[in-house]
Amino acid sequence: AAHMHSYERFLPVYNGSSSARFLAHPAVVKGADSPVHVVTGAAGNVENQEGFASPPGYSAFRSSNYGYNRMTIHNDTHLEWTFVATDNSTDQGVGEDRMWLEK
């Protein structure tokens, strides 16, 4: 529907909201009973972003920075997701958002 070079991570969402237990610790999602969505379009050309509207209550993190994602599966119960912000193709970047997804 649109073309934005940005990143947003949501908490588990069910019926338009997220549970208080996830809101209290948004960087560790343990025993999610609904989907965790990550919208990532931060790679590509650095353009004039329009910015975000007001975030919904289940939005855990937003960034308009250029970057990439790293997913590390540590074992059958622990997944680590990191959004790395970077200025250009030679920059190693900085971890701007990190989430642990625990089964």
Side-chain angles (χ1 to χ4, degrees), residues 32-91:
D33 50 2
S34 52
V36 174
H37 296 275
V38 177
V39 180
T40 180
N45 189 21
V46 178
E47 298 174 341
N48 295 324
Q49 277 78 340
E50 292 181 27
F52 291 100
S54 297
Y58 48 82
S59 177
F61 187 85
R62 290 176 159 185
S63 176
S64 294
N65 291 329
Y66 179 85
Y68 62 93
N69 301 280
R70 187 175 337 158
M71 179 174 68
T72 307
I73 300 171
H74 291 274
N75 54 44
D76 62 346
T77 61
H78 289 74
L79 180 146
E80 181 182 10
W81 181 269
T82 306
F83 171 69
V84 180
T86 181
D87 290 333
N88 57 53
S89 62
T90 61
D91 181 9

